[in-house]
């Protein structure tokens, strides 16, 4: 047995499972310093602790000691995104270039349409792909929204979820950019379609992530309590998302129906009401999420915080005032 290999395996498997040294020490009922010494190769775990560690990391003792098939164990559970997202990014870039060239030559270029396609392609599609790829490759998930290093995750399943979301975003973004470039490049006089497409893109973007999280909840979380908290938070996020989309959609409808122009007093009032409504909804969302994190699933009598109800009520009032200001 290679003592250095044992220390290296302890650290690698712990990180793959997304566990801190504190979590491992709690599971084994030893001090954190003991785990630190094992990974630094200054001491060695007892036979009983080796068995417990193997069970925790879901490998056999021989693999943990470095006596098993190293190549097999090192590649077990590895997840990679693949090249398809880059293919979709390339198609998106080509669609944008085709729109620019064609629209400039035909004198129908719209800076607004270009900005929309650019935002979907670069800050969203390209950035998220690069970010997810780095997270999967380096086992770094702290920057992912909702990830909590105090929770025990199944890291392999987290990687699969990120790869799935990344591919969906790539397909969704490319299709949206293609439709924007075709409809506006051919000057089909369907400006209303642009707004609908953007709203559908945002809704699909958010709901697909939430649905993927919901479907993978049982696999991602190791503890039942964490699974229950995650399932309870998903409807809250969906409702919050719908409130935002309804507010943005209503704003667009009010502008269109009442013929309100930009940079006018009426426009500023409506946008101000929208911002106030979104702020109230956001406060309610944050308060409810905080309560869910502190919630003990053993207590089945869960009640929504009164602050959340008041926040949503005020938000609805702000949206209603858009029609009368």
């Amino acid at each position: 047995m290679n003592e250095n290999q044992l220390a290296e395996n302890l650290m690698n498997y712990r990180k793959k499972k997304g566990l801190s040294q504190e979590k491992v020490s709690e599971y084994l009922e030893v001090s954190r310093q003991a785990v630190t010494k094992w990974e630094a190769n200054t001491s060695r775990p007892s036979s009983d602790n080796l068995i417990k560690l193997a069970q925790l990391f879901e490998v056999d003792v021989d693999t943990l000691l470095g006596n098993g098939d190293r190549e097999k164990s090192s590649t077990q559970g590895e997840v990679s995104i693949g090249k398809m997202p880059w293919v979709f990014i390339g198609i998106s870039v080509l669609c944008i270039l085709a729109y620019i060239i064609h629209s400039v030559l035909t004198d129908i270029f719209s800076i607004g349409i270009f900005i929309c396609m650019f935002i979907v392609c670069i800050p969203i599609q390209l950035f998220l792909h690069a970010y997810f790829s780095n997270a999967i490759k380096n086992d770094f998930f702290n920057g992912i929204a909702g990830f909590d290093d105090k929770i025990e995750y199944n890291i392999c399943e987290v990687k699969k979820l990120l790869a799935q979301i990344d591919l969906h975003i790539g397909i969704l973004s490319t299709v949206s950019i293609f439709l924007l470039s075709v409809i506006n490049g051919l000057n089909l006089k369907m400006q209303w379609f642009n707004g609908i497409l953007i709203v559908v893109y945002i809704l699909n973007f958010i709901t697909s992530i939430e649905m993927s999280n919901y479907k993978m909840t049982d696999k991602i979380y190791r503890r039942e309590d964490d699974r229950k908290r995650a399932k309870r938070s998903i409807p809250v996020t969906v409702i919050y998302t719908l409130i935002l989309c309804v507010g943005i959609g209503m704003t667009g409808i009010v502008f269109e129906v009442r013929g309100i122009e930009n940079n006018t007093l009426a426009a500023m009032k409506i946008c101000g009401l929208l911002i106030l409504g979104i702020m109230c909804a956001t406060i309610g969302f944050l308060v409810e999420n905080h309560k869910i994190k502190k919630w003990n699933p053993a207590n089945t009598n869960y009640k929504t915080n009164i602050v959340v109800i008041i926040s949503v009520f005020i938000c609805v009032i702000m949206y209603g005032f858009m029609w009368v200001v």
Side-chain angles (χ1 to χ4, degrees), residues 113 116-117 176-185 194 197-198:
I113 299 301
C116 286
M117 292 192 292
S176 299
I177 290 173
F178 172 77
L179 291 175
L180 283 172
S181 62
V182 170
I183 297 298
N184 294 278
N194 298 327
L197 184 60
I198 295 300

Side-chain angles (χ1 to χ4, degrees), residues 199-267:
V199 172
V200 170
Y201 175 83
I202 296 172
L203 281 173
N204 194 310
F205 180 92
I206 298 174
T207 54
S208 63
I209 293 177
E210 293 300 325
M211 288 301 299
S212 297
N213 273 284
Y214 181 78
K215 291 178 181 178
M216 297 283 286
T217 298
D218 291 332
K219 296 180 179 179
I220 291 175
Y221 298 93
R222 293 186 175 278
R223 294 178 178 175
E224 183 62 26
D225 287 355
D226 293 330
R227 296 191 190 106
K228 291 180 178 179
R229 293 189 187 98
K231 289 181 178 179
R232 184 170 289 277
S233 68
I234 288 174
V236 176
T237 305
V238 171
I239 293 173
Y240 174 68
T241 302
L242 289 175
I243 289 175
L244 297 186
C245 292
V246 167
I248 295 172
M250 284 182 60
T251 303
I253 293 173
V254 171
F255 269 71
E256 185 68 24
V257 171
R258 297 176 58 183
I260 297 175
E261 297 182 358
N262 296 329
N263 301 321
T264 62
L265 180 59

Side-chain angles (χ1 to χ4, degrees), residues 27-313:
Y27 177 82
L28 298 177
E29 297 181 349
V30 299
S31 66
R32 186 188 63 80
Q33 288 76 11
V35 178
T36 302
K37 289 180 180 180
W38 297 342
E39 294 185 357
N41 197 27
T42 57
S43 67
R44 184 177 182 276
S46 65
S47 298
D48 289 341
N49 282 333
L50 273 175
I51 294 174
K52 291 181 180 179
L53 284 166
Q55 293 173 343
L56 177 63
F57 298 148
E58 298 180 349
V59 297
D60 54 61
V61 175
D62 282 339
T63 299
L64 197 59
L65 294 172
N67 296 331
D69 186 347
R70 295 182 184 179
E71 182 178 355
K72 180 179 178 181
S73 63
S74 64
T75 57
Q76 185 178 13
E78 286 297 323
V79 178
S80 60
I81 286 183
K83 297 180 180 180
M84 283 306 298
W86 284 113
V87 173
F88 289 117
I89 291 172
I91 294 173
S92 297
V93 172
L94 290 175
C95 288
I96 294 175
L97 291 176
Y99 168 75
I100 293 173
I101 294 172
H102 180 267
S103 60
V104 168
L105 291 177
T106 55
D107 198 27
I108 57 172
F109 178 77
S110 169
I111 187 64
I113 299 301
F114 169 74
I115 290 175
C116 286
M117 292 192 292
F118 178 84
I119 291 174
V120 171
C121 181
I122 305 303
I124 297 178
Q125 187 178 8
L126 178 59
F127 174 79
L128 288 181
H129 172 61
Y131 196 86
F132 288 162
S133 298
N134 179 69
I136 291 174
K137 181 179 180 181
N138 299 312
D139 291 345
F140 181 77
F141 307 100
N142 289 335
I144 304 297
F147 189 87
D148 187 347
D149 55 9
K150 297 180 180 179
I151 295 176
E152 294 185 17
Y153 296 93
N154 187 329
I155 296 301
C156 181
E157 296 300 328
V158 173
K159 291 182 178 181
K160 290 180 182 179
L161 174 62
L162 292 181
Q164 177 182 327
I165 292 174
D166 183 54
L167 182 59
H168 181 85
I169 291 174
I171 296 172
L172 176 64
S173 300
T174 299
V175 171
S176 299
I177 290 173
F178 172 77
L179 291 175
L180 283 172
S181 62
V182 170
I183 297 298
N184 294 278
L186 297 179
N187 199 20
L188 298 181
K189 306 298 182 181
M190 296 172 61
Q191 282 73 17
W192 54 269
F193 180 79
N194 298 327
I196 294 176
L197 184 60
I198 295 300
V199 172
V200 170
Y201 175 83
I202 296 172
L203 281 173
N204 194 310
F205 180 92
I206 298 174
T207 54
S208 63
I209 293 177
E210 293 300 325
M211 288 301 299
S212 297
N213 273 284
Y214 181 78
K215 291 178 181 178
M216 297 283 286
T217 298
D218 291 332
K219 296 180 179 179
I220 291 175
Y221 298 93
R222 293 186 175 278
R223 294 178 178 175
E224 183 62 26
D225 287 355
D226 293 330
R227 296 191 190 106
K228 291 180 178 179
R229 293 189 187 98
K231 289 181 178 179
R232 184 170 289 277
S233 68
I234 288 174
V236 176
T237 305
V238 171
I239 293 173
Y240 174 68
T241 302
L242 289 175
I243 289 175
L244 297 186
C245 292
V246 167
I248 295 172
M250 284 182 60
T251 303
I253 293 173
V254 171
F255 269 71
E256 185 68 24
V257 171
R258 297 176 58 183
I260 297 175
E261 297 182 358
N262 296 329
N263 301 321
T264 62
L265 180 59
M268 288 187 285
K269 287 181 178 179
I270 292 173
C271 290
L273 290 170
L274 173 65
I275 293 173
L276 288 175
I278 290 177
M279 287 177 60
C280 290
T282 302
I283 291 172
F285 172 72
L286 294 176
V287 169
E288 188 69 4
N289 258 354
H290 179 74
K291 183 179 179 181
I292 291 173
K293 287 183 178 180
K294 301 295 182 180
W295 171 57
N296 181 6
N299 180 14
T300 57
N301 186 23
Y302 183 90
K303 294 183 179 179
T304 299
N305 195 304
I306 187 64
V307 174
V308 178
I309 298 175
I310 295 174
S311 298
V312 174
F313 180 72

